[in-house]
Amino acid sequence: AAAWSVRGVRQWPWGHRTSLVIVAGLAVLGSRTIARERDWRDSVALCEQALARYPRCQVALLNYGNALVEEARWDEAIVPLEKLLARSPTYPRARVNLARAFIGEGDYDSAIEQYRRELETDPSNADARRGLAWVLERRRNANTTADR
């Protein structure tokens, strides 16, 4: 407690002026941290901030699309993922996450297309295999129910 009193500051080995500069610097950094806290409130906000700063960053596009998928904002998630795939058609995980967004919207045909295109690029992608099997089963069940 004595270290934070005026008397304690005077006893610091680097002197009173240096101590005031350090305290002022900490206050400035603390206020900047509070101001930036808005950008870190959730994954989507963080990714939006990254894209505003680095609009051509492929990782930021992927992360933004993923964050939107995780929040079930399907139609919004499609835009950055398609943009990423237009720039880099074989970007890892982009097609799988785009397929998930299409599933969320109920567009099973587009999801199937994305899973198949991913498997053409990477036949060992287990997520794409599982996703494709799931959506094919789901579509088959929907067709069977509709036929009744």
Side-chain angles (χ1 to χ4, degrees):
W4 290 105
S5 69
V6 173
R7 184 176 171 174
V9 168
R10 287 186 184 140
Q11 293 175 358
W12 285 355
W14 46 78
H16 183 67
R17 286 187 186 152
T18 305
S19 300
L20 290 177
V21 169
I22 290 171
V23 169
L26 289 173
V28 168
L29 292 174
S31 66
R32 291 194 57 161
T33 299
I34 291 168
R36 293 280 298 171
E37 188 176 359
R38 287 186 305 259
D39 300 334
W40 292 80
R41 69 183 176 275
D42 60 30
S43 297
V44 172
L46 181 60
C47 293
E48 286 171 345
Q49 190 68 15
L51 279 173
R53 220 172 242 194
Y54 308 104
R56 299 199 44 82
C57 179
Q58 293 179 344
V59 173
L61 278 171
L62 178 68
N63 289 341
Y64 185 47
N66 293 348
L68 292 167
V69 165
E70 293 299 321
E71 290 193 4
R73 293 165 61 179
W74 315 117
D75 57 331
E76 294 175 70
I78 290 170
V79 175
L81 293 169
E82 285 183 335
K83 189 175 185 179
L84 172 58
L85 288 166
R87 292 180 188 171
S88 180
T90 60
Y91 199 88
R93 301 273 327 146
R95 289 202 187 280
V96 170
N97 288 309
L98 181 56
R100 289 175 58 206
F102 283 132
I103 290 169
E105 286 204 319
D107 186 354
Y108 295 150
D109 292 334
S110 294
I112 290 167
E113 177 188 346
Q114 293 306 314
Y115 282 132
R116 286 185 173 153
R117 290 181 71 184
E118 176 64 24
L119 289 169
E120 287 172 8
T121 303
D122 181 8
S124 66
N125 187 323
D127 289 336
R129 287 186 178 284
R130 277 191 301 272
L132 180 59
W134 183 89
V135 76
L136 286 171
E137 179 68 20
R138 181 93 177 211
R139 187 174 71 171
R140 186 176 63 77
N141 290 341
N143 290 340
T144 303
T145 305
D147 290 342
R148 291 182 187 173

